[in-house]
Amino acid sequence: KPSDIITGLDTIFNDQFTSDPHNFIVDHDKWWIELRDSMEISCVFFDPETKTIEYSLTSVPIIVCRKWEIIKLNTEIRASIWSEKKNPRFTGFQTYEFQLQEGDSVYLFSDGLPDQFLWKTNKKIGSRYFYEILKQISALPVSERSMHIANIYNELMKTEEWKITRQIDDMCLVW
């Protein structure tokens, strides 16, 4: 199950990569809080026969575009891997199921895409605008999507001097 994989990663990071897990994680959390960042992941299994996905995720939603509609697949309680600062209601990573329909586009992405700053306003692109971009590219053939989203981001990040503004976070998009 997807939740087993994410739980396993959480265990590995907590148990195997630290010599003194408590102190390292507490210090690590302070560092992440200062940067306002976290370790986020999604795991998806796709069954082509039933057109269903099983998924588990930490906090960044999975987006499904269905005929110009945005469907956000979230988790009930947000949690990050490698952290003692999980919500007290957190009881473990869960596996969810979602039924896809013909023509649906499924997007997994890093938080760096909606968190990128626009040079004109010095404000983040934001989730709402990012989801609109996903709707736009969903209407395109799959072979054209990479070039289209790269062009959109280059234009959004371009300055008057035709330089690209600094990328502030990872930017990864999978469909």
Side-chain angles (χ1 to χ4, degrees):
K1 288 186 171 189
S3 57
D4 295 338
I5 292 172
I6 292 181
T7 299
L9 288 172
D10 192 40
T11 301
I12 288 168
F13 277 102
N14 283 325
D15 294 345
Q16 307 226 351
F17 290 116
T18 59
S19 57
D20 185 356
H22 178 72
N23 290 333
F24 186 84
I25 291 170
V26 169
D27 291 343
H28 177 77
D29 282 341
K30 290 176 189 171
W31 178 74
W32 281 119
I33 289 168
E34 286 177 15
L35 293 178
R36 290 191 160 92
D37 207 347
S38 60
M39 182 180 281
E40 298 154 344
I41 190 169
S42 299
C43 182
V44 177
F45 293 172
F46 173 63
D47 184 336
E49 291 181 18
T50 62
K51 293 190 182 348
T52 57
I53 58 173
E54 282 188 335
Y55 67 94
S56 185
L57 45 90
T58 53
S59 59
V60 174
I62 296 169
I63 298 297
V64 177
C65 289
R66 176 178 289 162
K67 298 180 184 174
W68 296 101
E69 176 190 2
I70 293 289
I71 302 168
K72 285 174 47 175
L73 305 181
N74 285 315
T75 183
E76 292 167 11
I77 299 174
R78 294 170 55 121
S80 297
I81 288 178
W82 201 6
S83 174
E84 287 186 340
K85 296 194 181 294
K86 290 180 173 68
N87 184 313
R89 297 182 301 137
F90 179 76
T91 59
F93 296 102
Q94 303 298 312
T95 295
Y96 304 92
E97 192 171 294
F98 184 78
Q99 182 66 51
L100 296 171
Q101 295 179 5
E102 193 67 35
D104 284 354
S105 294
V106 179
Y107 297 98
L108 286 76
F109 56 93
S110 64
D111 63 341
L113 285 158
D115 285 352
Q116 182 59 47
F117 281 88
L118 300 168
W119 77 269
K120 288 181 181 178
T121 62
N122 201 30
K123 293 184 180 178
K124 291 182 180 184
I125 288 171
S127 296
R128 189 176 335 174
Y129 185 53
F130 176 66
Y131 300 159
E132 290 302 315
I133 292 171
L134 294 181
K135 280 200 292 191
Q136 288 176 20
I137 68 170
S138 292
L140 298 172
V142 173
S143 61
E144 296 177 22
R145 293 179 186 180
S146 292
M147 183 59 71
H148 191 73
I149 196 147
N151 289 340
I152 289 172
Y153 267 80
N154 284 337
E155 193 61 35
L156 291 172
M157 294 168 60
K158 194 182 303 173
T159 67
E160 290 174 346
E161 296 82 33
W162 295 89
K163 296 177 185 173
I164 302 297
T165 57
R166 185 173 66 90
Q167 180 181 328
I168 58 147
D169 202 351
D170 60 301
M171 295 197 303
C172 180
L173 177 64
V174 178
W175 60 86

